[in-house]
Amino acid sequence: MATRNGVAIMLLNLMTLGIFGAIWWYQVNRELRDYSQAVTRPFRNSPVVAVILFALWPLAWLPLLLTTYVTARRVRTVQEWVGAPKQVSPLLATLLAFVPLLVPQAYYLQNALNDAW
């Protein structure tokens, strides 16, 4: 699993007008899927579907909110598996999704993942 800088993710997403955010979203969902399979508790999520929902935000907010909430729940589950002291709030991550190009939920979720890994 990769550890990444949350600020760099936000800046790259801003500079690429959201393209890097979609790439990052795919990577995170793929890592969560692969990790859950490795510990024999598969999430059975599709990173491609997660990215499609993530990328639809200019057209509709509901898919973005849905994929953010579900991904944050998966991050929290992984944190519980590894015994991380701080845990992500899926509701807070979803509320942070209302600032799309800055992607503050990316900073929030990536820092949580860095703690878990």
Side-chain angles (χ1 to χ4, degrees), residues 54-60:
F54 183 84
L56 287 175
W57 73 263
L59 303 173

Side-chain angles (χ1 to χ4, degrees), residues 24-71:
W24 174 82
W25 200 252
Y26 174 83
Q27 290 172 337
V28 165
N29 277 281
R30 189 194 67 223
E31 289 171 0
L32 289 170
R33 182 200 60 201
D34 294 348
Y35 180 77
S36 69
Q37 287 176 345
V39 296
T40 65
R41 301 180 203 171
F43 288 139
R44 291 183 172 76
N45 64 318
S46 169
V48 174
V49 170
V51 157
I52 291 169
L53 293 173
F54 183 84
L56 287 175
W57 73 263
L59 303 173
W61 282 90
L62 189 57
L64 173 64
L65 299 178
L66 177 67
T67 191
T68 301
Y69 185 82
V70 171
T71 299

Side-chain angles (χ1 to χ4, degrees), residues 82-95:
V82 299
K86 297 184 298 184
Q87 293 190 344
V88 161
S89 166
L91 183 60
L92 177 59
T94 303
L95 292 175

Side-chain angles (χ1 to χ4, degrees), residues 3 13 38 65 74 86 93 107 109:
T3 57
N13 192 52
L65 299 178
R74 290 182 181 127
K86 297 184 298 184
Y107 177 82
L109 292 175

